[in-house]
Amino acid sequence: MKLYFRLVSALIKGVEPNDKEKKRNKIFYVVMSIIAGFGIMLPMAFFVGIIMYTATGALMQNGTQENGIEMFLHLIAVFSFIFGLNVFFSVFYFSGDIENLLPLPLKPYQITASKFTAAMISESVMEYLVIIAALAGYIIGGNMPLYSWLTAIIGTLTMPILPLIYCGILCMAVMYFTRFIRNKDTVNKITGVFTFLVIAGIVYLIAQSGFDSGKLIDALSNPENRLLETMNIIFPTIPLLTGSLGNGGILNFLMYIAVNIVAIAVFMIIAQFIYFPSVAGVGQSMSHKGKSADMTEKMHQISCSASYLKKELKILLRTPAYFTNCVMINFLVPVFVYLAYLINGQTNFLDSFIYGIRSGNEETVLIFMIGISAVSVLVTALNCIASSGITREGKHFSFIKYIPVSYMTQINVKAAVSIIISGAGMLTGVIIACLLLNTGIKFTIFCCLLSLLSVSFATYLGIYMDSINPKLIWDDELNALRGNYNIFFNMAIAIVTEAIICAGAYLLFKFTPTGSILIIIMLFVILMILNAVSYLLCLRGGVKNINSIE
Amino acid sequence: MSDVIRSDEGSETMIKIENITKTYNKTVKALDNISFSVKGGEIVGFIGPNGSGKTTTMKILTGIIKPDMGKVTINGFNIREDPIEAKRSIGYIADNPDIFLRLKGLEFLELIGDIYKVPTDVRRSRTKDLAEKFGLTDALGSPMISYSHGMRQKIMVIAALIHKPPVWILDEPMIGLDPKSAFELKQLMREHTKEGNAVFFSTHVLEVAEKLCDRVIIIKNGHILYDGTLEELENQNKNKSLENIFLELTEK
């Protein structure tokens, strides 16, 4: 057991920022944590809690209050499973420490159990917050007894076990039984496509309900909800956990613990038999054999910036972890826009909005433009192309410093990459939305400009944030992005700034006689000022930060 | 044009490091007031045990890290005041060749060629020549992630030399190279210095230093213990092998 805890501790330290990185800027971490806590985590937890409280109250009238929390926890479990797949393939088979762990006299179940625990702790922080918030809403909404809180805390910490055990077993089975997936790139491509399809499917199902909460409550009120029954079979711990929160739940709680223990035992037995045979012979990438013809004839000189830009784009597009996390996400925007419009044909939930835009209703037009700016900032922060621009250099960060190219030129090229990719996704989405809403060319151009200004602001802000404390020690590209606090902090600052601007713009329209056109002009001016500020931050602070990194 | 430093004998001083001190985390003194210079036409070996300050010195020379005090001049350019021109004069091989592994070998060389503004015809002939010398011609079209450690080291060597820089700073350049490639690199180093350029490289292999270097600098705990020719060192310690002399010096 001592060995297990030592291994877990060593593996977690491998993922977390090291002491040197933490010490480099203690105040930065404290301030950013406060902003992230109050800007993202608490509002999100509050939002989840309120939804669950309301749903529980509504469902109590039919005595089916468990259905709401169960469905929500099943959704969390499904997401946990989807995102866990990539993580566990990476952790079990492709992380840099595998080559060091395998020669040690450790049993397969010891390696997999410690890797499983370390990955679960590192990956589930946000998940814990969402689960406890949902359970809190359920307990308060359902007037549960006091001891329910204790059960809820234990349940929060243990609920991710089962979905992640499914991930672990599936990863080992796939690697054991298939011979074509022997490298990280193939795994990343397959899990990336799978994630995209599942998320698109979930969004489609939710959208097909017409975003009608009444219909959803009706479905959940049905004691014989088939979807819920099926999910309860797949994740049996969830009904046991929700059952243990109410009166007389001690038996359910004991069964909940027992099922988790059985699942862990099954996982360790399977790992004992198939982990070592499946981990043999895995690699980082497929080998490619180039042509032996004289390739030097293809060489030709281009400008340094253009060449650097090509390098950045190629790395983003060719590295599956970056492609799925940084590039693909941008092109979900136009897909969702078109999907929402298609579904509207069946449910009409967007009709009043579409009518408002087409008829030039000031409030609707303002909301539309504010929305474009907000989504542009959010997507640019979410794709983390900018906020991981320096982090992605990793162990070869020194390249930035020893080449004869100024740091600001390199920052500008990294910014250009983010603007090109984020802008491409956003502009496609904006143009599709404007075409579907029949807004006219001038309005479309304004919307595109607004989107680009927002993307550019979030880009330079992201690069500056990354320059403060880039995570340069990682052995797997996915680790450069996951567990990277800079990306999270940048997202928090971008969201808080944009929320203030958007809320300010809307409140100004609602509670003062200021017209929408004037507010939109003000929005443009504010975004231009923010662009100048974030650019200057990079020019002054970003360059200084890069200079001081050793 | 650079304001080239002239040494006592009249040949150009290509690398000059003056009173450099570097402390990590305010406690660990990696370099303690070290000074030396490398003239054009010289191959200088930098020898010392692990953790002696070799890589820190190399990184200060290339502008990767900032010294606490002191001055570095490369080909007449102060690395702090004129970093771009100083860096343009350097061909540097870092201690880790795992860089931009998603790029093909040829793409990486193109990037380096563009950064150092190497004209198309020059980079074509130079790449062809160097790739043939290091047996890498057939691999140029493959992503570097599929290369062995040795092949990655070879591509780093080609990248460092493609722009014909007057100053070569090489951190353990022989690691991972097969005997033929190591031989070719040593030949290139000799040819390069014959043209009046400078080579400064770190190594743990005393035989390489013995056969190749005009001068060696031995460093330990951030202090320079010896700076001179190996002949002088052997004359001062008659009947002792170079290995013994090195061990005696560094274990004092």
Side-chain angles (χ1 to χ4, degrees):
Chain A
M1 212 52 185
K2 212 177 192 179
L3 179 69
Y4 164 76
F5 285 117
R6 280 201 179 149
L7 271 172
V8 171
S9 153
L11 291 166
I12 287 177
K13 276 181 186 160
V15 180
E16 297 290 306
N18 61 28
D19 290 345
K20 193 179 158 198
E21 283 173 334
K22 277 182 189 166
K23 274 180 195 164
R24 206 182 293 152
N25 217 327
K26 250 184 182 173
I27 300 167
F28 168 77
Y29 264 95
V30 173
V31 173
M32 286 302 118
S33 301
I34 291 169
I35 293 175
F38 285 95
I40 299 183
M41 296 171 85
L42 283 180
M44 190 184 71
F46 185 73
F47 180 69
V48 168
I50 289 289
I51 285 185
M52 203 40 65
Y53 172 83
T54 315
T56 305
L59 291 168
M60 268 179 88
Q61 293 160 11
N62 303 314
T64 55
Q65 63 271 28
E66 296 97 347
N67 287 8
I69 185 78
E70 278 174 17
M71 191 53 98
F72 184 79
L73 293 181
H74 282 308
L75 197 67
I76 298 288
V78 169
F79 274 108
S80 181
F81 174 78
I82 295 166
F83 291 112
L85 269 181
N86 210 339
V87 172
F88 277 99
F89 270 116
S90 173
V91 163
F92 282 179
Y93 292 96
F94 306 111
S95 62
D97 53 23
I98 294 283
E99 284 180 7
N100 299 324
L101 284 172
L102 289 183
L104 297 175
L106 294 169
K107 293 191 172 72
Y109 76 84
Q110 289 174 314
I111 297 177
T112 46
S114 47
K115 276 182 162 279
F116 178 90
T117 313
M120 190 179 88
I121 294 169
S122 320
E123 293 294 323
S124 307
V125 177
M126 283 297 279
E127 193 179 330
Y128 292 143
L129 185 77
V130 173
I131 296 171
I132 194 74
L135 289 176
Y138 176 66
I139 290 171
I140 298 167
N143 291 321
M144 304 284 169
L146 202 61
Y147 71 82
S148 302
W149 288 98
L150 183 65
T151 316
I153 290 167
I154 298 169
T156 300
L157 296 173
T158 49
M159 204 214 89
I161 290 176
L162 191 63
L164 294 182
I165 275 181
Y166 286 161
C167 280
I169 293 173
L170 185 66
C171 291
M172 287 190 285
V174 166
M175 295 302 280
Y176 183 75
F177 291 109
T178 62
R179 282 287 165 262
F180 66 98
I181 307 177
R182 304 311 288 168
N183 66 73
K184 189 169 74 174
D185 287 359
T186 311
V187 166
N188 279 334
K189 280 175 196 160
I190 293 173
T191 51
V193 171
F194 177 71
T195 308
F196 179 80
L197 290 177
V198 172
I199 292 176
I202 289 172
V203 171
Y204 181 78
L205 283 176
I206 293 172
Q208 251 201 341
S209 73
F211 300 100
D212 188 338
S213 55
K215 273 187 193 172
L216 199 64
I217 293 289
D218 284 348
L220 289 172
S221 301
N222 183 357
E224 290 176 4
N225 185 315
R226 273 197 192 164
L227 179 63
L228 201 57
E229 281 171 1
T230 314
M231 294 305 289
N232 283 345
I233 294 168
I234 298 171
F235 299 114
T237 48
I238 289 173
L240 291 172
L241 175 65
T242 53
S244 67
L245 291 169
N247 286 322
I250 191 75
L251 189 64
N252 277 321
F253 184 68
L254 290 174
M255 281 172 71
Y256 170 77
I257 299 291
V259 171
N260 275 313
I261 290 170
V262 168
I264 292 167
V266 169
F267 168 78
M268 284 162 82
I269 290 165
I270 290 174
Q272 183 65 21
F273 286 106
I274 71 171
Y275 181 60
F276 275 175
S278 62
V279 79
V282 296
Q284 292 288 310
S285 178
M286 283 180 281
S287 71
H288 300 271
K289 292 287 172 198
K291 288 174 191 167
S292 59
D294 183 12
M295 299 196 72
T296 54
E297 289 305 310
K298 288 181 183 171
M299 295 178 104
H300 65 280
Q301 189 183 358
I302 55 172
S303 79
C304 168
S305 297
S307 195
Y308 202 115
L309 182 80
K310 265 172 79 177
K311 180 267 284 185
E312 290 278 327
L313 284 171
K314 277 176 183 166
I315 290 173
L316 273 173
L317 296 173
R318 286 179 188 171
T319 311
Y322 297 153
F323 182 76
T324 47
N325 289 283
C326 304
V327 179
M328 217 165 72
I329 188 172
N330 301 286
F331 298 95
L332 289 176
V333 177
V335 172
F336 286 158
V337 167
Y338 191 61
L339 198 65
Y341 188 81
L342 277 186
I343 293 160
N344 183 54
Q346 301 159 16
T347 58
N348 305 326
F349 74 102
L350 278 174
D351 272 1
S352 60
F353 186 77
I354 293 170
Y355 177 76
I357 293 280
R358 284 179 180 163
S359 61
N361 177 284
E362 280 198 37
E363 187 174 351
T364 319
V365 169
L366 184 66
I367 290 172
F368 184 65
M369 295 201 87
I370 287 173
I372 286 173
S373 177
V375 173
S376 302
V377 167
L378 188 68
V379 166
T380 311
L382 263 177
N383 71 32
C384 65
I385 295 173
S387 57
S388 68
I390 298 166
T391 289
R392 289 197 304 272
E393 300 290 339
K395 285 173 193 159
H396 50 78
F397 166 78
S398 61
F399 180 81
I400 288 183
K401 299 191 84 171
Y402 71 72
I403 58 170
V405 182
S406 75
Y407 299 148
M408 196 56 207
T409 305
Q410 297 188 59
I411 287 176
N412 281 332
V413 174
K414 285 178 184 292
V417 174
S418 167
I419 294 169
I420 288 170
I421 297 178
S422 317
M426 274 313 302
L427 291 192
T428 312
V430 169
I431 291 169
I432 289 174
C434 288
L435 282 174
L436 294 173
L437 296 172
N438 204 12
T439 57
I441 290 175
K442 269 186 199 166
F443 185 79
T444 308
I445 292 170
F446 273 127
C447 291
C448 288
L449 275 176
L450 188 72
S451 174
L452 277 181
L453 275 174
S454 310
V455 165
S456 153
F457 153 63
T459 291
Y460 277 100
L461 178 70
I463 293 178
Y464 173 71
M465 292 294 292
D466 195 28
S467 78
I468 296 172
N469 210 8
K471 183 187 177 187
L472 297 173
I473 299 165
W474 45 263
D475 61 354
D476 178 288
E477 289 99 348
L478 201 61
N479 280 343
L481 309 176
R482 295 234 167 121
N484 185 344
Y485 294 126
N486 290 344
I487 294 170
F488 186 59
F489 291 155
N490 175 57
M491 231 181 276
I493 292 216
I495 289 171
V496 169
T497 312
E498 192 63 18
I500 292 169
I501 296 169
C502 293
Y506 185 72
L507 293 175
L508 202 65
F509 175 80
K510 206 71 182 158
F511 298 107
T512 67
T514 321
S516 67
I517 292 175
L518 186 61
I519 293 174
I520 289 167
I521 291 169
M522 283 164 71
L523 194 61
F524 267 91
V525 173
I526 288 170
L527 279 171
M528 278 192 258
I529 292 169
L530 285 174
N531 266 281
V533 169
S534 58
Y535 182 84
L536 281 173
L537 270 176
C538 283
L539 187 66
R540 303 259 183 265
V543 169
K544 198 176 154 196
N545 292 336
I546 292 174
N547 216 2
S548 67
I549 300 167
E550 295 183 340
Chain B
M1 204 38 218
S2 67
D3 175 20
V4 177
I5 297 168
R6 299 277 165 188
S7 71
D8 297 337
E9 291 87 20
S11 57
E12 296 168 4
T13 297
M14 308 294 281
I15 302 173
K16 188 162 188 173
I17 202 164
E18 296 167 83
N19 310 110
I20 290 291
T21 296
K22 177 68 192 173
T23 310
Y24 288 116
N25 299 328
K26 293 177 185 167
T27 51
V28 185
K29 209 165 211 176
L31 296 176
D32 191 1
N33 195 27
I34 66 163
S35 300
F36 63 82
S37 62
V38 180
K39 286 177 279 182
E42 265 191 325
I43 300 178
V44 176
F46 200 34
I47 313 172
N50 293 331
S52 56
K54 295 191 297 295
T55 298
T56 300
T57 308
M58 297 267 175
K59 287 185 172 174
I60 287 175
L61 281 173
T62 48
I64 294 170
I65 57 178
K66 220 170 27 175
D68 302 335
M69 53 185 256
K71 186 180 165 190
V72 172
T73 317
I74 304 287
N75 197 25
F77 300 104
N78 185 319
I79 195 88
R80 306 289 319 153
E81 291 163 10
D82 211 345
I84 303 294
E85 284 310 313
K87 288 173 187 176
R88 210 182 288 287
S89 304
I90 299 172
Y92 173 58
I93 297 179
D95 53 353
N96 178 11
D98 299 339
I99 176 168
F100 306 140
L101 298 181
R102 300 283 169 181
L103 295 185
K104 294 171 183 169
L106 195 79
E107 290 169 344
F108 178 64
L109 296 176
E110 281 271 54
L111 170 70
I112 298 297
D114 291 326
I115 285 172
Y116 289 91
K117 300 185 167 63
V118 183
T120 303
D121 51 341
V122 176
R123 80 173 65 173
R124 279 181 186 170
S125 66
R126 196 125 176 91
T127 304
K128 197 172 178 177
D129 181 38
L130 289 167
E132 272 171 16
K133 272 197 170 89
F134 289 103
L136 220 55
T137 309
D138 288 350
L140 286 179
S142 307
M144 294 194 289
I145 199 163
S146 64
Y147 287 11
S148 67
H149 179 83
M151 289 163 83
R152 289 176 195 173
Q153 184 72 357
K154 286 177 190 177
I155 207 89
M156 291 305 123
V157 172
I158 299 175
L161 311 186
I162 197 170
H163 60 291
K164 275 208 161 190
V167 175
W168 290 3
I169 296 173
L170 319 174
D171 198 355
E172 306 274 3
M174 307 295 175
I175 287 183
L177 294 187
D178 52 49
K180 184 184 174 292
S181 302
F183 174 78
E184 290 290 353
L185 180 60
K186 283 185 262 182
Q187 283 293 105
L188 283 169
M189 285 157 92
R190 287 193 188 101
E191 285 167 21
H192 190 62
T193 48
K194 267 184 196 165
E195 292 167 12
N197 301 310
V199 175
F200 180 66
F201 75 102
S202 64
T203 183
H204 283 293
V205 187
L206 296 175
E207 282 173 6
V208 171
E210 195 171 16
K211 286 180 183 160
L212 195 64
C213 298
D214 300 306
R215 195 152 59 87
V216 292
I217 296 170
I218 301 176
I219 186 169
K220 188 196 170 191
N221 293 340
H223 292 95
I224 290 177
L225 302 179
Y226 179 77
D227 181 354
T229 65
L230 279 168
E231 263 182 5
E232 286 165 4
L233 188 64
E234 279 171 326
N235 285 338
Q236 287 166 19
N237 300 272
K238 287 205 168 139
N239 300 324
K240 286 181 186 167
S241 68
L242 185 62
E243 196 175 21
N244 280 333
I245 300 168
F246 176 75
L247 289 174
E248 275 179 23
L249 259 176
T250 54
E251 284 177 7
K252 267 180 195 169

